[in-house]
Amino acid sequence: MLNNFKTYEIWFITGSQHLYGPETLAQVNANSKKIATALNRAKNIPIKIKFKALLTTPDEIYHLCKSANSSENCIGLIAWMHTFSPAKMWINGLKILGKPMLHLHTQFNAEIPWSTINMDFMNLNQSAHGGREFGFINTRMGLNRKVVVGHWQDQEVIEKIAIWSRVAAGWKATQTMKIARFGDNMRQVAVTEGDKVAAQIQFGYAVNGYGLGDLVDYIDQVTQKEIQATVEQYFEAYEVMKSLHKNGSQHHALQEAAKIEVGLRTFLEEGGFTAFTDTFENLTGLVQLPGIAVQRLMADGYGFGAEGDWKTAALVRAMKVMGNGLDGGNSFMEDYTYHFNPTNMAVLGAHMLEICPTIAQSKPTCEIYPLGIGGKSAPVRLVFNGRTGQALNASMIDLGDRFRLLLNTVEAIAPEADLPNLPVARVVWKAHPDVKTAAAAWILAGGAHHTCYSQNLSQEYLEDFAEMANIECILIDKSTNIHSFKQSLKWNELYYKLNK
């Protein structure tokens, strides 16, 4: 589910012109290859960086952009202006470019050679000059891109490129995503609704609805051998409560949960789906609400949204692709209840069942209890506390005239005490800048109650993603104050109405 990095490429391209002569261009080409090779060898950049071309004419640029668009492996371009590259040459190519672009504003040498610098050196090393010309034409054309400034060997520069490369992979996954929606959304709920056609135009992913009968057909075909193999995986990976053991009174429920998982997994695999939704109000034909099945599928990289929330399912999948291989996890999440103790205000995040075990502090326990909602048999689920540390919540909102990506940085903390009577996976966090301000800002921005909670993605990842998707991005962090936040929302409203 999450091994596509191996097939992806980011093309490194360099701009120059013939005015400098063949010797200078040969040096530009050699320097460009060295930078691309070094970036490709950087351990924290998971995507192959491939030097593709030195571009010196409008036709070369146009055909390069055309090739990038048609390449399945190319997920983005890194553009560097080694010398001055007259920007009118880039117009036709940039007009058709459909892949994300990072403008690397660097130069081959780290420092000025004060005692030896001459005009030959100046003519060769004109990134400060050429990068501004290239930047102008991108701005003049209204093109979204990421700009990274600094020497190509600086770790900060390499890390920013690494982040962008992961986001480019997430954007690629979003554009080709298929989401299976089992049943409709939870009745009378507003925020899980949305314009699926507008979303496909904006992001590329397709949301396809299926009746529960379509899924039940797959579940009914699951063999006892498949059920037993899955049950054995539960006992290997988790601490299983005694009543679910082979001779326990509820072992049949564990088998049913395994049966649902196998059937659901098969349905998704055969249909080429990488994200899905369900809702507890539409479980016809299922004995229990999928709990452990959803949790384990998320752990394998699938996106998920409860109550038919396809926007969050798509975001969870994209963020899982971005964070693939990084320490920590990404999970479907919901702000559930507040701790309004004035000396230690916090939020308890959870859901009925469906929190991904990749964010667990320690080995999850496999348990079963009545759900108290949905009218089905007690479902099996994984129970754990989330890992402490820096994290963020991200939510995708359909405002009718545009999509808004809303972010809140948080710090996950340990619960003040054990939670013996709350048999769900959960995380406790302090929202930035504080719970009251964060909640007020979230509500003012129209934030959803469903989010993707991330332990391994910073705000920079999501800001880069919003740039690629050409959508609004709003941040609530340590510097947020309500007055300025409200003004930003009003200015954004005006911008997007005028821009449309």
Side-chain angles (χ1 to χ4, degrees):
M1 277 297 295
L2 291 173
N3 59 0
N4 287 336
F5 288 169
K6 296 178 181 178
T7 64
Y8 290 161
E9 296 176 348
I10 291 171
W11 291 358
F12 190 100
I13 59 174
T14 303
S16 188
Q17 59 178 326
H18 284 285
L19 180 66
Y20 302 106
E23 290 185 5
T24 297
L25 288 181
Q27 189 63 55
V28 168
N29 193 65
N31 291 350
S32 300
K33 288 181 178 179
K34 288 180 181 178
I35 294 177
T37 299
L39 293 177
N40 186 55
R41 291 174 178 171
K43 293 182 179 179
N44 55 335
I45 300 179
I47 313 298
K48 181 179 180 180
I49 307 296
K50 181 178 181 180
F51 176 68
K52 193 65 177 178
L54 169 60
L55 303 170
T56 58
T57 68
D59 285 345
E60 290 175 352
I61 294 168
Y62 177 83
H63 289 296
L64 183 284
C65 292
K66 186 177 179 180
S67 296
N69 287 344
S70 62
S71 171
E72 283 296 317
N73 293 340
C74 176
I75 62 171
L77 303 179
I78 297 176
W80 175 42
M81 303 302 111
H82 193 316
T83 64
F84 190 76
S85 179
K88 287 172 65 177
M89 295 196 306
W90 288 85
I91 292 175
N92 286 341
L94 293 177
K95 277 172 62 178
I96 67 166
L97 182 62
K99 298 294 175 73
M101 185 175 68
L102 182 148
H103 178 186
L104 179 58
H105 192 52
T106 189
Q107 61 187 28
F108 188 72
N109 58 298
E111 300 177 354
I112 294 173
W114 302 107
S115 62
T116 60
I117 187 170
N118 55 25
M119 285 308 302
D120 288 339
F121 183 94
M122 294 277 279
N123 286 333
L124 176 63
N125 296 284
Q126 287 194 57
S127 299
H129 180 196
R132 283 165 169 75
E133 171 79 351
F134 186 67
F136 164 76
I137 202 62
N138 279 268
T139 298
R140 178 67 176 80
M141 296 174 68
L143 301 178
N144 291 351
R145 76 281 193 196
K146 181 168 186 171
V147 179
V148 177
V149 180
H151 193 255
W152 51 277
Q153 291 176 317
D154 289 349
Q155 287 306 307
E156 182 182 1
V157 168
I158 293 170
E159 179 58 25
K160 286 184 175 294
I161 295 172
I163 288 172
W164 179 84
S165 73
R166 286 180 169 275
V167 177
W171 177 239
K172 170 72 171 179
T174 301
Q175 292 180 296
T176 57
M177 192 185 307
K178 290 174 60 180
I179 303 169
R181 196 164 182 246
F182 297 111
D184 205 339
N185 71 309
M186 182 179 174
R187 291 185 282 276
Q188 306 301 331
V189 176
V191 77
T192 54
E193 292 280 9
D195 189 335
K196 294 187 284 292
V197 174
Q200 188 162 356
I201 293 170
Q202 191 81 46
F203 302 104
Y205 59 70
V207 184
N208 302 305
Y210 295 89
L212 264 291
D214 297 317
L215 175 58
V216 170
D217 285 343
Y218 277 78
I219 294 172
D220 287 344
Q221 295 177 36
V222 175
T223 66
Q224 191 59 40
K225 183 178 179 181
E226 291 173 313
I227 293 172
Q228 186 57 37
T230 303
V231 167
E232 289 176 1
Q233 291 176 20
Y234 296 166
F235 278 92
E236 290 175 3
Y238 319 114
E239 297 291 342
V240 181
M241 66 187 302
K242 289 184 178 179
S243 65
L244 294 173
H245 283 233
K246 186 173 183 179
N247 296 321
S249 60
Q250 293 173 301
H251 185 68
H252 65 283
L254 189 69
Q255 291 183 308
E256 187 64 36
K259 183 178 180 181
I260 291 172
E261 179 183 335
V262 174
L264 179 54
R265 189 182 294 273
T266 303
F267 184 100
L268 297 173
E269 288 176 351
E270 290 189 2
F273 299 102
T274 54
F276 66 102
T277 73
D278 64 16
T279 175
F280 64 85
E281 285 188 327
N282 192 345
L283 296 174
T284 305
L286 297 183
V287 175
Q288 58 180 263
L289 175 67
I292 190 173
V294 171
Q295 293 176 291
R296 283 167 52 82
L297 285 163
M298 267 197 289
D300 288 340
Y302 285 92
F304 173 77
E307 291 115 41
D309 189 351
W310 47 270
K311 296 187 295 298
T312 302
L315 184 61
V316 171
R317 168 60 181 173
M319 290 173 68
K320 281 186 171 290
V321 172
M322 294 181 217
N324 181 26
L326 297 177
D327 183 40
N330 293 273
S331 176
F332 172 73
M333 186 59 69
E334 179 174 285
D335 293 58
Y336 226 96
T337 190
Y338 293 121
H339 186 55
F340 274 148
N341 183 314
T343 63
N344 189 32
M345 286 193 185
V347 180
L348 190 152
H351 203 256
M352 293 181 295
L353 304 175
E354 308 97 339
I355 302 299
C356 181
T358 59
I359 68 168
Q361 177 75 41
S362 57
K363 189 175 185 179
T365 58
C366 181
E367 304 182 21
I368 183 170
Y369 296 96
L371 188 59
I373 193 169
K376 290 291 182 177
S377 298
V380 177
R381 81 293 300 269
L382 299 176
V383 178
F384 54 84
N385 287 325
R387 196 171 76 177
T388 59
Q390 298 300 309
L392 65 76
N393 276 308
S395 185
M396 188 68 71
I397 313 153
D398 185 348
L399 293 176
D401 62 344
R402 68 186 185 278
F403 291 92
R404 170 180 286 167
L405 181 59
L406 182 59
L407 314 176
N408 184 200
T409 59
V410 305
E411 181 183 357
I413 61 174
E416 288 188 3
D418 291 337
L419 301 163
N421 298 312
L422 186 64
V424 296
R426 61 268 170 157
V427 186
V428 180
W429 65 76
K430 289 179 174 292
H432 297 151
D434 57 77
V435 170
K436 288 183 178 180
T437 303
W442 192 274
I443 289 168
L444 287 167
H449 57 277
H450 288 166
T451 66
C452 180
Y453 175 86
S454 178
Q455 296 170 328
N456 56 23
L457 302 179
S458 66
Q459 67 192 55
E460 187 173 353
Y461 287 85
L462 281 304
E463 289 170 348
D464 284 355
F465 182 82
E467 285 284 344
M468 291 181 190
N470 195 29
I471 62 171
E472 181 184 14
C473 185
I474 300 288
L475 173 66
I476 305 168
D477 65 0
K478 292 180 179 179
S479 65
T480 298
N481 70 78
I482 293 299
H483 175 76
S484 297
F485 189 81
K486 289 167 71 174
Q487 296 305 309
S488 295
L489 292 178
K490 290 177 181 179
W491 281 115
N492 280 18
E493 191 74 22
L494 179 62
Y495 167 80
Y496 281 98
K497 287 188 182 303
L498 291 175
N499 195 48
K500 191 172 183 180

